[in-house]
Amino acid sequence: MTTVEEPKTTTFDDNDQKPVGFGRMLRKEDPRLLRGRGRFTDDVQLPGMLHLAILRSPFAHARVVSVDTSAAEAAPGVKAVVTGETLKGLGLAWMPTLSNDVQAVLATDKVRFQGQEVAFVVAEDRYAARDALELIDVEYEVLDPVIDVRQALAPDAPLIRDDLEGKADNHCFDWETGDADETEAVFARADVVVQQDIVYPRVHPAPMETCGAVADFDAVEGKLKLWSTTQAPHAHRTLYAIVAGLPEHKIQVIAPDIGGGFGNKVPIYPGYVCAIVGSIVTGKPVKWMEDRSENLISTGFARDYIMRGEIAATRDGKILGIRTNVLADHGAFNGTAAPVKYPAGFFGVFTGSYDIEAAYCKMTAVYTNKAPGGVAYACSFRITEAVYLVERIVDCLAAELDMDPAELRLKNFIQPDQFPYTTKTGWVYDSGNYEPTMRLAMDIAGYADLRREQEEKRARGELMGIGISFFTEAVGAGPRKNMDILGLGMADGCELRVHPTGKAVVRLSVKTQGQGHETTFAQIVAEEIGIPPADIEVVHGDTDQTPFGLGTYGSRSTPVSGAAAALVARKVRDKAQLIASAMLEVTVADLDWVKGSFQVKGDPAKAVTIQQIAMRAHGAGDLPEGVEGGLEAQICYNPSNLTYPHGAYICVVDIDPGTAQVKVRRFIAVDDCGTRINPMIIEGQIHGGLTDGVGMALMEMISFDEDGNCLGASLMDYLIPTALEVPDWETGYTVTPSPHHPIGAKGVGESATVGSPPAIVNAVVDALKPYGVRHADMPLTPSRVWDAMRGRATPPI
Amino acid sequence: MQVPAPFEYERATSVDQAIGLLERLGSSARLVAGGHSLLPMMKLRLANFDYLIDINPLHAELGYIRLTGDEVRIGALTRHRELLESDELAAAFPIFRDAERVIADPVVRNRGTLGGSLCQADPSEDLSAVCTTLDASCVIRGPGGSERVVTMEEFHVGPYETAVGDDEMLTEIRLPLRPGGGSAYEKVERRAGDWAVVSAGAAVWLTADGTIADARVGLAAVGPNTTGIPELSAALRGREPAEDLYEQAGAIAARSCDPATDQRGSADYKRHLADELTRRTLRTAVARARS
Ligand SMILES: Cc1cc2nc3c(=O)[nH]c(=O)nc-3n(C[C@H](O)[C@H](O)[C@H](O)COP(=O)(O)OP(=O)(O)OC[C@H]3O[C@@H](n4cnc5c(N)ncnc54)[C@H](O)[C@@H]3O)c2cc1C
């Protein structure tokens, strides 16, 4: 069922007026964050704490001949200097990545990307640690690097991963999905086939807070306490247990407030392990906070896919098949964070929102001398790349058929009665109703008027473009039957305790990095048990305080942990009903639940509130037969499927024909994320994601020179957009609840980042139609747009 | 957090005291004005100095914009924000406000100074292009109260290199006021607050009958330094302002510059912008001179 609701504009900031459940309310965490009272990793101060700084490789590829630390050790304030050789002795020089590869903690044999960790210093303060780095003398033998991903598999390419037994080339993995023969057959009988090379350049999540950790190892208790910037504290704890050989119950990982993650804070970085080693070696708490350049050059990047897209259709615009060949740059170590059986993440959804007959993808992933990472930056496990591919290639087809791109999409949508819909690559879309979403976006935009305006402007030589993208996401990883990370199933725990006075605490396994969990999850529980959100404390981020679960990324919190929170609240409510029946001396079946209280059927005056029930549950007097005291429950939720939010985005750009500068004039985003818990928070997520999209489409790129020097090592070089580059966002929504999620919610954190880049690029390409342009690669900086106008569009890499 | 190497810090009490310190400490010392160019370099450890002499206490003495009959004098410590907000300056040379609107961001503009901008001598520095366009001269103070005045051409020795010696300080910029003037500035940037891909300033002075008495164009980010383009000025002098004349000027600008391909854009594109922005700023400058 799709309903289009009128947006409500009231925001309740007065506690008495806040909705008990879903609705617009200000975020519970904001008073703390806005007043500067948040507590981030760098705010952690412990008695006797020391500071750690990391020496990084200036070269992309070099043999480490020798490391002399004597001068650094003698420097004032220095407590320890640790090299790869030291770690080797402890069996800690290498660590597993999230993709079953290994990554060097500190280099022993070679450095494989610029910025790789080579040694670290622990000193009394940050300055002394940083100064001592200059005194470490490393002798390198520089090797030829592999920078151009297209050359990585050349027979004479330098070998990067000679640390791996028997490895003779830079091949990382091959992956395929769909049916090659069926697709070939469909292409052979199609009227029209369009092919386009499309590059999604390497970008960086660039969270406002860089990565860091404070490690405090207590040698007497044998207990490690680690504050760190992690989106997945429980998964990290298990990994530390494996890497460091510490018993898991003696490790406490605490993710305090986090200043943005976007996937950047999913992996375990060498710096975290260094901080742990530093604390063990010195017997003191040790803090490591990377600086901005370190964050940009060494931590998880995103994208870096070189794609060839092909689409087959009939002359009248029925899409028959989509085929793609991808070359994926995974950097020096495969540090991709994705479920084990999905080395290309969820790229398999590249068939988009269309009902087609066949699809096939073949991917080759390679190693290069660049920073490791892969799946990061609000990408829903590579759905960003998939959506970009399909939405760009569909526009190329529209151009070829001389058909309106909105019309072409409408003609090919999966229809509402086809859900659940199994795609040709095996994904089961749970629900969707695409046309109303598309039509709403077109209505808000005034699509027909815009096309008229464009025609008039074109006649005057002005460049205006209208770009559309329609996306379906697959979020909420995931069902444990086929999704795990390093053997850890992707189910989420949740625990709810109602205290005697009717206030509650809910403990989550996921962890906010700004998404508003402390509010959204309080609202989910409030909706189910009728306790006001203000009376519900959300505890998260501390492994000693919360049940196990895999963390926040891939838009999974609401689909997985949100379901857990609703179900645990229902469990508590069921128990409350038993107690209420005793209190009111009626059978359970004679009770009605009216949010917040149980009433006797037909006699609403006879009722008990959840607060009264809570006191009774903890109080004196007998409880019904078989009912234990207390009012609490725990659950571990295993989703039966992913959820599939969708959306229709329309972008309007103007381009200055003289300078080739692109101005995003309007952006219309209509999202369908199923049930809407807090519309204000959803809008915040959308606004942020759209801004990300402007960044990627117009300015962001991590590039390298031929020696492998990273050219994006500061925010003056790696540009992220400001308020001046973005328009007033025009948002709308439809509601198609997920049929298998307890409250019908679908997750929305990454929708806008996924959906917006193709809309913007499609708009730019549309504006450049008078120049015969069919494609131009991101980022569409003025210079690159100018090149495209001259028929010289060059791929970024 | 990026942290600089250790250094000693002293606050200046007067221009001569600061110069005295420079004289004594030589090239191991640096003046710090707004610090928005110097401190980032030190934090990235691209530059290390043993001593920093903070001249911000001299703002009362060196932060000013003064109009005399035939000249505008601006103190070296005048901040971007003061240049942006001065109506007097905008009336005399609208190019300043045009430029200041697109230099960096409010945080940088609150602290960064005219003197720091010129002395940094970054080839992309906007105020160097503005001063070149306006044919500024630079007052340099040395030991013992000595003072010399140099042209912008003499001032810029090379990228990041100026005529200011180790024991000298830039104290003032002087801009000649001539009748019938109009000026304008345009910049193409990849994002607000970014350095220029290319920017151009133009100034024209019209005679009573509307012909061009003199005209100058200054470009940023298209070569090692911003310099005036004598051939361009010569081509415009004595002519009637017109579109084909701007086109001709644009072509001269494009061929007179020496841009390099980098992340901000290709050399070809930058050369094209030199042409395009020269034409645009001349057009606006003439319109302003007429009104
Ligand atoms: C984020 C950012 C964006 C920016 N964007 C732009 C831009 O778009 N366009 C632009 O033009 N600029 C830009 N800048 C530079 C900005 O304008 C700086 O303020 C300016 O370059 C330097 O001025 P300052 O007073 O901060 O100099 P400082 O950093 O203090 O000094 C710079 C150099 O000049 C020397 N110096 C300073 N004053 C004197 C003096 N009186 N005599 C002799 N030597 C002196 C110093 O010793 C130092 O070597 C940007 C800077 C930042 C941080």
Side-chain angles (χ1 to χ4, degrees), chain A residues 56 103 113-115 117 202-207 210-212 263-265 267 269-272 288 290-302 370-374 376 702:
Chain A
R56 294 176 183 277
Q103 171 173 2
F113 66 92
Q114 188 188 48
E117 298 77 2
R202 178 176 280 236
V203 295
H204 197 277
T210 58
C211 299
N264 188 241
K265 291 167 182 166
Y269 292 119
Y272 301 152
W288 166 70
E290 68 189 1
D291 65 32
R292 178 63 57 195
S293 298
E294 292 180 290
N295 180 255
L296 285 167
I297 65 172
S298 73
T299 64
F301 69 96
K370 301 177 193 167
I702 293 282

Side-chain angles (χ1 to χ4, degrees), chain A residues 716, chain B residues 30-40 55 76 80 102-105 108 111-117 119-120 124-127 164 168-171 187 189 193-196:
Chain A
M716 288 302 282
Chain B
R30 264 290 196 284
L31 299 178
V32 57
H36 273 296
S37 290
L38 188 61
L39 298 187
I55 55 174
H80 286 301
V102 291
I103 291 176
D105 51 54
V108 172
R111 296 288 296 172
T113 64
L114 172 60
S117 296
C119 292
Q120 182 65 22
S124 308
E125 200 82 58
D126 290 297
L127 289 183
V164 183
E168 290 183 315
M169 176 169 166
L170 176 68
T171 52
K187 170 177 175 179
E189 51 190 2
D194 188 23
W195 292 84

Side-chain angles (χ1 to χ4, degrees), chain B residues 201-222:
Chain B
V204 296
W205 292 269
L206 302 182
T207 58
D209 66 1
T211 56
I212 297 174
D214 195 8
R216 295 178 60 88
V217 166
L219 302 172
V222 285

Side-chain angles (χ1 to χ4, degrees), chain A residues 58-60 113-114 145 147 369-370 704-711:
Chain A
F59 302 110
F113 66 92
Q114 188 188 48
I147 302 305
N369 288 112
K370 301 177 193 167
F704 297 84
D705 69 13
E706 59 192 16
D707 296 325
N709 295 306
C710 177
L711 303 178

Side-chain angles (χ1 to χ4, degrees), chain A residues 246-262:
Chain A
L246 291 168
E248 200 170 356
H249 66 297
K250 293 286 190 184
I251 304 174
Q252 180 183 9
V253 175
I254 304 168
D257 283 326
I258 295 182
F262 315 104

